[in-house]
């Protein structure tokens, strides 16, 4: 089974991004896309609808007349039709539910749950980013997802030693983001890339460049290793930029434990 997490970027045309997705999917690929603006939805639906079901956060938390563009950056989860989706909603206790998705999925009686998430940026939202992370930590504690795919806009320093990772000070000394990531580890979810990589660089790999010059790893796929065995993780930064995004597509290949 393949997992893909990708912040498309609300800028530039969608068709080259769809063409890039085409190169990396098969009929057992679950995709989480961030920054899915409303005019991206029809082209995505036109391409995927024959073999996939599409779940869009803005269908659950529709923007109102008074909402600005910050409430119109949705998250979309694209699931092959051979999978059964038993539940879909947004995380309603978060400050921006429109940037969240929660699905419960089944394949041949094997059940698992998934979060698709997009963090706020600290430069624009400050304390609200911290509050968002605390609410996401609560959601992890309550729902115990098996897969979390997120553009976290964190950490500040992605250090090879977990205890030396540093988070941005969103008027909280980084405690909100730290709490969220610690909650993932507490519930036995692993950073898929960190689990198989021997990288000693800072960051471990690049998924985004702040102001086009500061290397960051902001994009993650976390996995419950009790249910899935991780076999491959890739960050396709340069090719993703060429396709029109400003974030790397993250690919994680897994086998379902004791089934596949």
């Amino acid at each position: 089974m393949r997992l893909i997490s990708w912040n498309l970027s609300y800028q530039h045309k969608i068709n080259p991004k769809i063409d890039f997705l085409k190169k990396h999917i098969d009929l057992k690929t679950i995709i989480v896309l961030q920054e899915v603006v409303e005019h991206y939805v029809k082209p995505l639906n036109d391409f995927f609808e024959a073999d996939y079901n599409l779940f869009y956060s803005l269908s659950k938390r529709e923007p109102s007349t008074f909402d600005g563009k910050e409430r119109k950056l949705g998250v979309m989860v694209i699931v092959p039709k051979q999978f059964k989706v038993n539940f879909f909603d947004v995380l309603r206790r978060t400050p921006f539910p429109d940037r969240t998705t929660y699905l419960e999925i089944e394949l041949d009686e094997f059940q698992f749950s998934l979060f698709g998430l997009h963090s706020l940026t600290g430069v624009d939202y400050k304390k609200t980013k911290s509050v968002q992370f605390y609410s996401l930590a609560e959601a992890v504690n309550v729902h115990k997802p098996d897969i979390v795919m997120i553009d976290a806009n964190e950490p500040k320093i992605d250090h090879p030693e977990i205890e030396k990772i540093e988070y941005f000070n969103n008027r909280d000394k980084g405690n909100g983001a730290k709490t969220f990531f610690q909650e993932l580890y507490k519930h036995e979810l692993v950073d898929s890339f960190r689990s198989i990589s021997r990288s000693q660089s800072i960051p471990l790999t690049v998924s985004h460049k702040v102001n086009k010059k500061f290397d960051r790893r902001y994009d993650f796929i976390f996995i419950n290793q009790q249910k899935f065995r991780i076999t491959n993780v890739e960050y396709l930064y340069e090719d993703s930029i060429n396709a029109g995004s400003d974030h790397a597509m993250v690919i994680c290949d897994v086998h379902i434990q004791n089934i596949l």
Side-chain angles (χ1 to χ4, degrees):
M1 189 170 93
R2 170 159 286 190
L3 305 169
I4 291 177
S5 182
W6 192 22
N7 183 326
L8 291 176
S9 174
Y10 64 88
Q11 301 182 47
H12 308 124
K13 296 180 179 179
I14 185 62
N15 288 338
K17 301 172 187 180
I18 292 175
D19 290 340
F20 188 54
L21 279 165
K22 284 181 192 178
K23 297 177 181 179
H24 299 287
I25 60 172
D26 58 32
L27 290 180
K28 279 192 177 179
T29 302
I30 296 176
I31 305 165
V32 169
L33 302 174
Q34 298 95 4
E35 290 198 22
V36 180
V37 288
E38 291 174 287
H39 65 271
Y40 283 1
V41 173
K42 186 180 185 304
L44 286 165
N45 189 69
D46 288 346
F47 174 70
F48 282 104
E49 66 177 345
D51 298 311
Y52 296 79
N53 291 312
L54 286 70
F55 301 88
Y56 187 38
S57 62
L58 298 190
S59 71
K60 293 290 187 178
R61 197 282 177 191
E62 296 182 12
S64 79
T65 303
F66 301 97
D67 283 329
K69 64 181 181 180
E70 68 277 358
R71 303 308 298 257
K72 299 176 182 178
L73 296 177
V75 176
M76 179 178 283
V77 185
I78 302 174
V79 183
K81 288 187 175 179
Q82 62 185 295
F83 292 76
K84 180 182 178 183
V85 176
N86 296 317
F87 179 82
F88 163 54
D89 204 351
V90 294
L91 299 174
R92 297 184 179 274
R93 284 178 55 81
T94 61
F96 278 70
D98 30 287
R99 299 193 186 202
T100 70
T101 51
Y102 169 36
L103 282 75
E104 295 178 358
I105 304 171
E106 185 174 338
L107 176 66
D108 300 329
E109 299 184 353
F110 176 82
Q111 297 180 350
F112 61 97
S113 55
L114 177 151
F115 284 0
L117 307 173
H118 183 196
S119 166
L120 301 171
T121 58
V123 67
D124 292 317
Y125 297 95
K126 297 297 182 185
K127 186 67 173 180
T128 308
K129 181 182 178 184
S130 174
V131 173
Q132 182 194 38
F133 271 119
Y134 280 118
S135 65
L136 293 176
E138 175 191 89
V140 170
N141 180 266
V142 171
H143 298 295
K144 299 175 176 55
D146 299 302
I147 299 170
V148 175
M149 296 195 259
I150 181 172
D151 169 8
N153 283 304
E154 292 281 356
K156 181 180 180 180
I157 297 177
D158 179 40
H159 199 281
E161 299 176 42
I162 290 178
E163 63 274 13
K164 294 182 180 179
I165 294 173
E166 294 184 22
Y167 301 94
F168 290 102
N169 180 13
N170 299 298
R171 298 182 182 173
D172 67 342
K173 299 181 180 179
N175 287 327
K178 183 177 182 179
T179 297
F180 167 72
F181 281 99
Q182 286 183 334
E183 198 66 21
L184 294 174
Y185 290 122
K186 178 181 175 181
H187 289 279
E188 299 184 343
L189 292 164
V190 299
D191 174 350
S192 58
F193 183 75
R194 187 179 288 272
S195 73
I196 65 171
S197 171
R198 296 182 179 179
S199 172
Q200 294 297 306
S201 65
I202 299 174
L204 271 63
T205 190
V206 178
S207 75
H208 181 66
K209 289 182 182 285
V210 177
N211 298 325
K212 298 184 178 179
K213 59 181 179 179
F214 298 111
D215 292 348
R216 298 284 190 263
R217 184 169 74 110
Y218 282 171
D219 302 87
F220 299 87
I221 297 178
F222 277 81
I223 299 291
N224 177 352
Q225 285 190 302
Q226 299 301 312
K227 289 191 174 183
F228 300 95
R229 177 168 56 87
I230 300 163
T231 60
N232 175 61
V233 184
E234 299 176 68
Y235 280 70
L236 306 180
Y237 180 75
E238 294 295 340
D239 289 342
S240 300
I241 301 308
N242 292 336
S245 179
D246 58 352
H247 283 253
M249 176 189 290
V250 185
I251 294 174
C252 178
D253 294 318
V254 300
H255 286 291
I256 296 173
Q257 297 280 28
N258 302 321
I259 294 182
L260 296 182

